[in-house]
Amino acid sequence: SQQGEEDPQALSIQEGENATMNCSYKTSINNLQWYRQNSGRGLVHLILIRSNEREKHSGRLRVTLDTSKKSSSLLITASRAADTASYFCAMLLAGADGLTFGKGTHLIIQP
Amino acid sequence: DAGITQSPRHKVTETGTPVTLRCHQTENHRYMYWYRQDPGHGLRLIHYSYGVKDTDKGEVSDGYSVSRSKTEDFLLTLESATSSQTSVYFCAISESGTQYNEQFFGPGTRLTVL
């Protein structure tokens, strides 16, 4: 079964607007990590949030984690054309050793 | 940059041939991983290693084997490649000697099995 689900699958917004992507999971986690992937490229690590944390910031990125709802969100503020990419959440499930990935949100920033 | 390289970066091979992909890291990280990325599936864990000669299976390990004879190298072998193994393969490391920290990924190897 798919452990991680991302919503929406695709998102198109105007440059300067904020973009919010959501991730839900089914079982307990140790941490949750967000990645960006440009088309045909590798994965760039954005933020790690641990199960005992509720919010983390990095530049224009804000990640929240609600373990009671088993969900996380990634907010990109003041979006730029260069933010166009696919964004993945990846969970380290409790007792696991590798990450379990969602299918990703494809974000398009319209100039 | 976590000092991860993968080779080859691209490979085309035929069904039934053996293929070995190499992941090399320069910072002596204990944990190393192999994932594959397919459309509609995100990334899925194939195998991982928690030290020299210490490896274990992931979610999609059938048809793959791994070896780690040195800290810096983690090899993924397809004993007899099949078309279903056409994919992009990513190697990753986990920071600071534990699986509980950030995972950083290599640039990937695009493998096509004809």
Side-chain angles (χ1 to χ4, degrees):
Chain A
S1 64
Q2 184 69 26
Q3 276 286 352
E5 295 287 345
E6 300 197 49
D7 173 59
Q9 292 185 352
L11 179 61
S12 180
I13 61 174
Q14 295 296 122
E15 196 166 21
E17 294 180 339
N18 296 341
T20 299
M21 288 157 272
N22 302 296
C23 173
S24 61
Y25 55 93
K26 298 180 180 179
T27 60
S28 297
I29 62 170
N30 180 280
N31 65 55
L32 188 146
Q33 305 185 41
W34 284 91
Y35 292 86
R36 183 185 75 233
Q37 185 178 37
N38 292 87
S39 181
R41 306 295 296 274
L43 285 87
V44 174
H45 190 275
L46 298 176
I47 289 183
L48 178 152
I49 187 164
R50 301 190 188 279
S51 60
N52 61 351
E53 298 174 315
R54 293 296 168 258
E55 186 171 314
K56 289 189 83 169
H57 296 257
S58 177
R60 293 183 296 114
L61 306 180
R62 171 179 170 247
V63 167
T64 61
L65 179 64
D66 186 335
T67 53
S68 66
K69 295 181 179 178
K70 293 185 170 56
S71 67
S72 175
S73 66
L74 170 67
L75 169 67
I76 304 173
T77 60
S79 63
R80 306 167 181 169
D83 294 329
T84 293
S86 292
Y87 292 81
F88 294 89
C89 67
M91 295 134 285
L92 183 63
L93 302 177
D97 291 279
L99 295 175
T100 298
F101 279 78
K103 295 181 181 180
T105 292
H106 185 50
L107 176 64
I108 296 174
I109 309 299
Q110 307 277 6
Chain B
D1 184 359
I4 307 167
T5 57
Q6 293 184 231
S7 59
R9 295 293 313 280
H10 301 270
K11 186 171 182 65
V12 179
T13 191
E14 295 194 349
T15 298
T17 61
V19 176
T20 295
L21 308 182
R22 179 181 183 238
C23 177
H24 179 79
Q25 53 125 340
T26 60
E27 299 182 5
N28 291 320
H29 296 292
R30 179 182 171 196
Y31 281 83
M32 298 184 74
Y33 308 83
W34 278 107
Y35 294 85
R36 60 178 287 175
Q37 184 177 30
D38 305 291
H41 286 280
L43 279 81
R44 292 178 291 174
L45 181 67
I46 305 172
H47 280 279
Y48 64 96
S49 171
Y50 46 96
V52 173
K53 295 189 181 358
D54 291 324
T55 65
D56 208 343
K57 297 178 179 180
E59 177 189 357
V60 291
S61 60
D62 287 349
Y64 302 94
S65 62
V66 290
S67 66
R68 192 166 178 202
S69 59
K70 299 185 290 184
T71 299
E72 59 265 35
D73 288 327
F74 191 31
L75 304 182
L76 177 71
T77 297
L78 292 65
E79 301 290 347
S80 178
T82 67
S83 59
S84 65
Q85 293 176 312
T86 292
S87 188
V88 181
Y89 291 85
F90 288 98
C91 173
I93 60 90
S94 184
E95 285 269 296
S96 305
T98 169
Q99 69 271 44
Y100 301 116
N101 290 337
E102 290 85 350
Q103 282 195 24
F104 294 97
F105 284 77
T109 294
R110 185 172 296 274
L111 176 67
T112 302
V113 183
L114 301 176

